[in-house]
Amino acid sequence: MIILYGIVCFGCVYIGVMIYKYLDDRVRFYNDFIEFLYVYDNNLSFCQDKLQSVVERFVGDNHTGFRKFLLLFIKNGGDEIKIESLKPEEIKACQRDLNEIGKANLETDTNIIKVLITKEKYNLEKATKLKNKYGSLAIKISLLIGILLVILLI
C-alpha cells in the first residue's frame, strides 16, 4: 500500500515538474533566439555568410528548442513547425521575424535585427516572469495535491 501512495505522490509531482519544464523551455527558446540574432548580427558585420550557413554553425549537434525550430525553418521554409513549449501564434510570429532577416542590405538587416532583439528580449522577460511565478508553484501545488490524494486514500 505504501508503494501505491508513493506512486500517487510521484505522479502528481511529475505533472508539476513537466509544467516547470514547459515554462523553462519557453525561456530557453527565447534566450537562444536572442543569442542567434546576436550571432547573425556579428556575422553580417564581419563574415557576411548566408543565413543557412550561419544556422548550421549555430545549431551544431543541439537539436532542441529554438535550434530545432531553426533547422525546420531552413529545411522546409517554416511549414508545419511544432514546438511543444510555444503556442502556434508564437511560432508564426517567430517565422515572420526570421523571414525579415537576410533579404536586405547590410544596414537594413542590422536595423531589423536590433528591432528583433528588442522584441525577443520583451518575450524573454514575459516568459521568465511566467516561469518565476508559476514554475515552482506548479511543483509545490502538485506535491500538495499528491499528499492530499494519499490522505484521502488512507
Side-chain angles (χ1 to χ4, degrees), residues 47-154:
C47 304
Q48 296 182 353
D49 291 335
K50 293 187 177 191
L51 180 62
Q52 186 168 358
S53 62
V54 175
V55 166
E56 288 169 358
R57 277 197 316 261
F58 180 76
V59 170
D61 293 333
N62 185 355
H63 296 211
T64 59
F66 179 71
R67 294 164 196 259
K68 175 184 172 185
F69 171 82
L70 269 178
L71 281 178
L72 293 173
F73 180 79
I74 293 296
K75 285 182 182 175
N76 61 8
D79 295 335
E80 299 298 321
I81 295 177
K82 293 184 181 180
I83 303 292
E84 297 79 25
S85 58
L86 293 179
K87 299 173 190 167
E89 57 269 9
E90 292 173 322
I91 292 173
K92 294 289 183 198
C94 291
Q95 288 173 325
R96 280 193 310 270
D97 292 345
L98 285 177
N99 276 329
E100 290 182 23
I101 62 175
K103 295 182 179 175
N105 61 18
L106 176 66
E107 187 176 328
T108 305
D109 262 356
T110 304
N111 291 334
I112 289 171
I113 289 172
K114 287 179 184 177
V115 170
L116 291 177
I117 287 172
T118 304
K119 177 183 173 189
E120 298 310 324
K121 280 185 178 181
Y122 174 74
N123 288 336
L124 175 63
E125 185 179 314
K126 283 191 333 187
T128 303
K129 283 182 182 178
L130 278 175
K131 178 187 167 195
N132 292 341
K133 186 175 183 181
Y134 297 115
S136 61
L137 183 67
I139 294 173
K140 292 173 187 174
I141 287 178
S142 64
L143 177 63
L144 288 175
I145 290 172
I147 292 171
L148 180 65
L149 287 174
V150 168
I151 290 172
L152 290 175
L153 289 174
I154 293 177

